[in-house]
Amino acid sequence: MSKPYNTKLAEDAYKALLSTLPLTDEGVERTPSRAAKAFGELTKGYHTKIEDVIGQGVFPYKGDGIVHVRGLEICSMCEHHLLPFIGTCAITYIPDKKILGLSKLKRISEVYARRLQVQERLTEQIAEAIDKFIKPKGVLVVVRSVHLCMKMRGVCEADPETSTVAARGEFARNEGLRIQYYNDSQPKPRL
């Protein structure tokens, strides 16, 4: 198990960081404490086991259907700049004797998103976890997001969307199936 999150150490680090700025506003007096707590929440995936979030959420299955869930919100932190990337995740799998409770798909993606990440690895980790726990005939994960490190610094691009794909089993072998569900991974507009 990883070492526990040290809020006091994080708070001291934020104090040191803020001391590099000519701040005089009393409004930032409690910022190190608030930021340390927020950083703990944003990185709680390091202290969460996939086995615990799946729990009893694996069920027997007989059939030949496909499970497709899209529009799962992803909020993560770029490990290179400590800035957020925000978007959606679509997960599609072809069951083989087992299915996951639908909420478990969100919980799996959340564990990996709540770590310092690169989007490519996040996408692979989600696919790998599903493949490991229920051994489906195939799994496809598509993550689409906007990285604030591209919007707020460096190139300052207005709305760059990055898509990453991880395919296993039947989705890796069958290009037509992969393309079909990749194209259907975009979330529908909310009403």
Side-chain angles (χ1 to χ4, degrees):
M1 186 68 173
S2 62
K3 62 182 179 180
Y5 180 70
N6 187 327
T7 305
K8 176 66 173 119
L9 186 60
E11 185 176 338
D12 291 343
Y14 277 110
K15 282 179 187 174
L17 181 65
L18 290 174
S19 74
T20 66
L21 302 173
L23 299 173
T24 57
D25 191 332
E26 292 176 11
V28 297
E29 185 177 309
R30 293 184 48 221
T31 297
S33 174
R34 290 190 294 263
K37 288 177 186 170
F39 194 72
E41 289 177 34
L42 296 172
T43 58
K44 69 183 180 185
Y46 288 111
H47 308 289
T48 308
K49 292 182 180 178
I50 289 294
E51 295 85 350
D52 293 341
V53 299
I54 291 176
Q56 300 298 309
V58 177
F59 304 99
Y61 175 77
K62 291 181 182 176
D64 57 3
I66 294 179
V67 177
H68 178 61
V69 178
R70 63 181 178 198
L72 299 172
E73 185 176 62
I74 291 288
C75 297
S76 194
M77 296 272 286
C78 165
E79 70 181 26
H80 301 137
H81 303 102
L82 298 183
L83 290 171
F85 61 94
I86 299 167
T88 60
C89 177
I91 299 171
T92 309
Y93 70 91
I94 304 168
D96 183 23
K97 300 181 181 128
K98 297 180 197 173
I99 56 172
L100 281 168
L102 294 176
S103 70
K104 303 309 179 186
L105 299 174
K106 170 61 178 176
R107 292 180 194 282
I108 290 168
S109 63
E110 183 79 1
V111 167
Y112 292 115
R114 294 301 178 153
R115 297 177 180 183
L116 301 182
Q117 277 290 13
V118 293
Q119 184 175 325
E120 298 87 343
R121 183 174 60 236
L122 169 64
T123 308
E124 289 290 336
Q125 287 173 328
I126 296 167
E128 190 62 34
I130 294 166
D131 199 38
K132 176 184 174 184
F133 280 92
I134 61 168
K135 301 189 181 348
K137 295 175 187 172
V139 62
L140 180 73
V141 176
V142 179
V143 175
R144 300 174 191 264
S145 68
V146 174
H147 293 248
L148 268 62
C149 58
M150 288 184 68
K151 285 180 72 89
M152 297 178 68
R153 54 153 305 279
V155 296
C156 294
E157 185 63 33
D159 284 314
E161 181 183 87
T162 301
S163 294
T164 50
V165 178
R168 305 276 190 285
E170 193 60 34
F171 287 103
R173 289 187 292 276
N174 186 329
E175 182 180 12
L177 189 62
R178 185 172 61 251
I179 289 170
Q180 175 187 347
Y181 282 95
Y182 173 81
N183 290 336
D184 196 38
S185 67
Q186 193 74 288
K188 296 290 183 194
R190 296 182 190 250
L191 299 177

